[in-house]
Amino acid sequence: MYKSFRVKNYRCFKDLTVGPLERVNLIAGKNNVGKTALLEAIWLFQEYLTPPVEILVPLFRGLDSLGPRDLMASLFINFEDTETIEMLVGHPDDRSARLRLTVSRAREAFDIAPFRITVSEPAERAEDSSNRKHSVGNDPSHPQQDLRTPTGAFPPEVILQHEYQSPDGLATGGLMGVSSEGLRRAFSIGAGQTRVPFLVGNREINPLDLAEKWSERAELGDDKKVIETLRIIQPDLRGLRVLYKKRKPIIEVDLGVERLMPLALSGDGMRSLLLFAVLLLQAKGGVFLVDEIENGLHHSVMKDVWKALAASARSFDVQIFATTHSHECIRAAHEAFCESPEYDFRMHRLDRIDDTIQSVTYDKETLGYSLEAGWEVR
């Protein structure tokens, strides 16, 4: 799990450090302080080798009309793409991992995905660690791995370079050439499959996608774990079934009565929690990101939802990062973790002070006192 996360020159962050982190982290703050941008940064750090994640991130903001140069510049603070985006993750054993992103004008033809990666020795084993650099390109002295065979090259307008150093000191690097034709193709393909689930705030629960995700979990034998999670807010639940009506899959709920009930009639809480449960399993051993977690959930069920998320996160070894605008959501989370076996929860409030954004972390005692005193913590 991450113990801290630092990001520089990304979106609205000149230099932001968030921590100490816990298994479940709730991010609050006023509008335009970077709550969603922080989730994007974590997602980008996790998915930097999943093409074309650097393009998918701006799509969340509806920036598909921008050209390659502006699209990539939108990742940088104040569109200053001469800067270097840097992300640093602290781990429990005092080790750290680092990612750097830079942009340059394109001079050669590359496809839209990262085309090559090179691996060099950890710094402590390098002959000259003080002058050691990440190696990218066609250096024959380093082993190389083709990440993707181009299906067609377009003259790129921008090249995005990433340099990553793992907690073990292993360095990797890659390039991505971005062209207008490549962007058009990427937009038509869509997000595809990524390793780290990221639910954006304006999400709509597509019944077909949800049925497919549930079927995948059931096929892998995880259906019992999902049912156990759902029983936290629906104790009478016996199971879920995918049936076909007019050639379309529909999830139906078995509550032990005479006939099955369509999931759509079970309320937004059941649908949202089912989506959370299947995605938590997809994120097993990793990270799960949720923007505006309270969307579609009535405040009366939030406490039970947090209990379910806490139990699932521990069971599946997942670290959760979520954002909220809701005071009720924050209070429900605090109360749910107070009643849990372990208070492995932190709330982080982002504040804009002058021209910078800073983070304030609330532990159990601080958050409890603030809520009881009626202080504004959102």
Side-chain angles (χ1 to χ4, degrees):
M1 291 200 309
Y2 295 174
K3 298 308 291 184
S4 64
F5 184 80
R6 183 179 182 184
V7 56
K8 299 172 63 177
N9 298 321
Y10 177 78
R11 295 286 198 206
C12 53
F13 305 129
K14 185 62 179 177
D15 191 347
L16 172 72
T17 299
V18 181
L21 302 172
E22 262 294 351
R23 179 170 298 282
V24 180
N25 301 273
L26 185 60
I27 300 145
K30 296 180 180 180
N31 290 336
N32 301 318
V33 294
K35 297 186 296 297
T36 302
L38 179 58
L39 296 189
E40 290 176 354
I42 295 171
W43 193 62
L44 185 57
F45 183 89
Q46 285 281 317
E47 294 278 11
Y48 75 96
L49 278 181
T50 304
V53 66
E54 294 88 349
I55 293 173
L56 300 181
V57 169
L59 289 185
F60 290 157
R61 306 285 185 148
L63 300 179
D64 52 301
S65 61
L66 296 182
R69 184 75 182 187
D70 286 341
L71 191 76
M72 292 296 94
S74 72
L75 297 175
F76 294 77
I77 187 168
N78 299 326
F79 272 63
E80 295 177 359
D81 59 3
T82 56
E83 300 282 352
T84 297
I85 293 174
E86 186 171 359
M87 302 174 191
L88 183 67
V89 167
H91 290 264
D93 54 5
D94 293 328
R95 297 185 302 166
S96 62
R98 186 187 305 271
L99 175 68
R100 292 187 177 95
L101 298 174
T102 56
V103 164
S104 61
R105 295 283 184 181
R107 296 180 180 274
E108 302 175 38
F110 299 113
D111 199 13
I112 191 153
F115 78 109
R116 189 174 298 277
I117 183 173
T118 67
V119 181
S120 59
E121 293 295 316
E124 61 270 16
R125 296 204 301 267
E127 292 182 1
D128 185 3
S129 60
S130 61
N131 295 320
R132 176 178 168 274
K133 296 182 179 179
H134 299 280
S135 300
V136 180
N138 297 313
D139 185 349
S141 65
H142 292 93
Q144 297 180 345
Q145 173 189 0
D146 286 325
L147 295 182
R148 173 179 170 186
T149 301
T151 56
F154 307 103
E157 300 173 38
V158 179
I159 290 179
L160 182 72
Q161 177 175 331
H162 73 254
E163 301 174 354
Y164 175 77
Q165 183 170 316
S166 72
D168 296 325
L170 188 66
T172 61
L175 299 176
M176 181 175 71
V178 185
S179 67
S180 296
E181 175 62 24
L183 286 179
R184 184 198 62 76
R185 187 176 63 175
F187 296 152
S188 67
I189 292 173
Q193 183 67 35
T194 58
R195 298 172 301 161
V196 179
F198 186 179
L199 291 178
V200 295
N202 58 356
R203 63 185 179 271
E204 293 183 4
I205 303 176
N206 186 311
L208 300 182
D209 290 343
L210 188 55
E212 182 178 357
K213 290 182 181 299
W214 160 249
S215 298
E216 290 173 355
R217 303 328 310 179
E219 186 178 15
L220 294 172
D222 292 328
D223 49 321
K224 293 181 180 179
K225 297 177 182 178
V226 174
I227 296 300
E228 289 175 4
T229 301
L230 294 177
R231 281 179 181 151
I232 293 179
I233 64 172
Q234 187 63 60
D236 297 331
L237 181 65
R238 295 189 178 184
L240 301 176
R241 299 181 186 178
V242 177
L243 304 178
Y244 275 81
K245 303 290 181 68
K246 296 183 179 181
R247 299 183 179 180
K248 293 183 179 180
I250 181 172
I251 299 177
E252 300 215 343
V253 181
D254 183 357
L255 297 176
V257 295
E258 187 171 339
R259 62 154 294 166
L260 301 178
M261 177 187 297
L263 178 68
L265 299 180
S266 300
D268 290 337
M270 275 283 286
R271 287 186 293 163
S272 293
L273 190 55
L274 175 58
L275 184 61
F276 291 164
V278 296
L279 291 180
L280 277 166
L281 277 162
Q282 178 184 323
K284 192 172 183 179
V287 171
F288 178 41
L289 307 169
V290 189
D291 192 25
E292 297 180 17
I293 192 170
E294 72 275 11
N295 275 10
L297 295 168
H298 193 266
H299 68 87
S300 62
V301 302
M302 279 305 307
K303 184 175 176 179
D304 288 333
V305 168
W306 278 117
K307 287 183 178 180
L309 290 175
S312 296
R314 297 183 193 113
S315 177
F316 309 146
D317 189 24
V318 175
Q319 189 170 24
I320 297 176
F321 294 88
T323 69
T324 187
H325 289 282
S326 167
H327 180 83
E328 291 85 358
C329 180
I330 296 171
R331 179 176 289 277
H334 174 68
E335 293 176 353
F337 279 88
C338 282
E339 296 175 11
S340 297
E342 181 181 1
Y343 194 93
D344 44 356
F345 170 77
R346 289 291 183 274
M347 195 199 83
H348 313 274
R349 192 186 73 228
L350 302 185
D351 292 316
R352 186 181 295 276
I353 301 176
D354 296 327
D355 294 330
T356 64
I357 295 173
Q358 300 179 9
S359 172
V360 177
T361 296
Y362 292 75
D363 59 14
K364 178 180 180 181
E365 290 73 23
T366 306
L367 182 57
Y369 184 84
S370 299
L371 291 172
E372 289 303 314
W375 294 347
E376 181 60 77
V377 295
R378 290 177 294 177

